[in-house]
Amino acid sequence: MTDHTQPQQPYYPPRPPYEPVRPITTEPGTTVWPSGFGGGHTPPPAGPSYATAGPAPAAGPTPVSRRRAKRGVGLMAAVAIAAAAIGGGTATLVQQLTAQDAPVTASSVVSGTNVSASSAGTVAGVAEAVSPSIVEISASSTSGKSTGSGVIITDDGEIVTNNHVISGASDITVRTSDGKTYRAEVVGKDPDKDLALIKLQGASGLKAATLGDSSKVKVGDEVVAIGSPEGLTGTVTSGIVSALDRDVTVAKDAEEDSGGQDGQQRWDPRQGWPFEFGGQEFNGDTGSSKTTYKALQTDASLNPGNSGGALINMNGEIIGINSAMYAPSSSSGSTAGSVGLGFAIPVDTLKADLDTLRSGGRS
């Protein structure tokens, strides 16, 4: 039996009322999809799927896929914004941590001194920092006039020097590094240690030196000497500590070692204060009244007028008060400069004697 049923004709859906969305190609390899459906129409409702025997109409992305795409773009934007926020926060946190963990820069000055950090350990740095604390002392007496040096230890004008610089003086004038001059009075002196303390009249705001620790000084340490040799204020020399605990013998007082008419001293002030070392006398006869102390030996050049000045370590701390130097004489009687044999009273001796000096000292 033959089935005469007519085959069913295929069904074609009607043409959509809008133009399908097509990609926009701007340049090779770059494709941009339109932001909405063509013509601004809303997409057709979803319907059943039909199998067709004919060609299928061109189709754009379904509404569902576009909504997912929008969500994807929105998610990506949110992630980007979050990342930016986190990134900014991270950068801020890193900056804060970096600021907190940044190494502390060196102080502009070395602790306890006025030596700049960039100049620490240099002769120039020490000279710049300590020179304002070193003064020139002119002492007048019936025997004449002598020149020495001193170290400011208080901002109101207490100055330490050698006893032999001011011994027997009737008038003392002090000139500071800025050229100002002051009258000074003797506060106290200790001839046994060849130390004296004087005080400027009407002084204030001076730059006091920092007293160091001479017990830590070692042979070979670099040092700087500042003083007024031959009246040349603020002269700077340098060298090393060449020996420790040298027994140096000096005269106690100029009055006790003067002789001849009109109080003419037997020693020549151009040769420096007379002293003994190693059983020999230098720069003249020390006389009958003398004292011996332990001294730092240095090869930093010392000349007449350096007495009472400072011997300084490379941190700008006073480690000694320059007190004696060897200056050989030629047959003509003229003097030579330093030959690398100078001595300084350790600053620890000075610190231990300050109370005595301030109370008038020993006679």
Side-chain angles (χ1 to χ4, degrees), residues 10-70:
Y11 171 77
Y12 297 95
R15 184 178 181 86
Y18 58 89
E19 191 67 24
V21 175
R22 300 180 183 275
I24 301 173
T25 302
T26 58
E27 61 181 17
T30 304
T31 301
V32 180
W33 289 91
S35 60
F37 290 94
H41 299 287
T42 57
S49 175
Y50 296 96
T52 62
T62 63
V64 174
S65 65
R66 286 194 57 80
R67 284 195 298 272
R68 289 178 178 173
K70 286 184 177 179

Side-chain angles (χ1 to χ4, degrees), residues 95-193:
Q95 289 175 355
Q96 292 175 349
L97 292 177
T98 303
Q100 292 173 358
D101 298 338
V104 178
T105 57
S107 175
S108 60
V109 296
V110 177
S111 177
T113 74
N114 291 310
V115 179
S116 64
S118 62
S119 300
T122 68
V123 174
V126 171
E128 181 181 5
V130 185
S131 288
S133 300
I134 311 302
V135 301
E136 177 186 311
I137 299 175
S138 296
S140 300
S141 69
T142 56
S143 300
K145 186 176 181 179
S146 62
T147 301
S149 304
V151 180
I152 300 172
I153 61 171
T154 63
D155 60 4
D156 62 348
E158 279 191 345
I159 294 175
V160 172
T161 187
N162 287 139
N163 176 64
H164 73 254
V165 170
I166 53 88
S167 180
S170 57
D171 183 74
I172 301 174
T173 303
V174 173
R175 183 168 64 172
T176 55
S177 63
D178 58 5
K180 295 181 179 179
T181 58
Y182 299 86
R183 296 288 296 275
E185 295 180 347
V186 176
V187 176
K189 57 182 182 176
D190 187 348
D192 289 336
K193 294 183 174 64

Side-chain angles (χ1 to χ4, degrees), residues 184-217:
E185 295 180 347
V186 176
V187 176
K189 57 182 182 176
D190 187 348
D192 289 336
K193 294 183 174 64
D194 195 18
L195 291 171
L197 182 68
I198 63 176
K199 178 70 178 294
L200 302 186
Q201 298 176 0
S204 63
L206 301 179
K207 185 175 182 180
T210 299
L211 303 182
D213 184 351
S214 54
S215 68
K216 297 180 180 179
V217 176

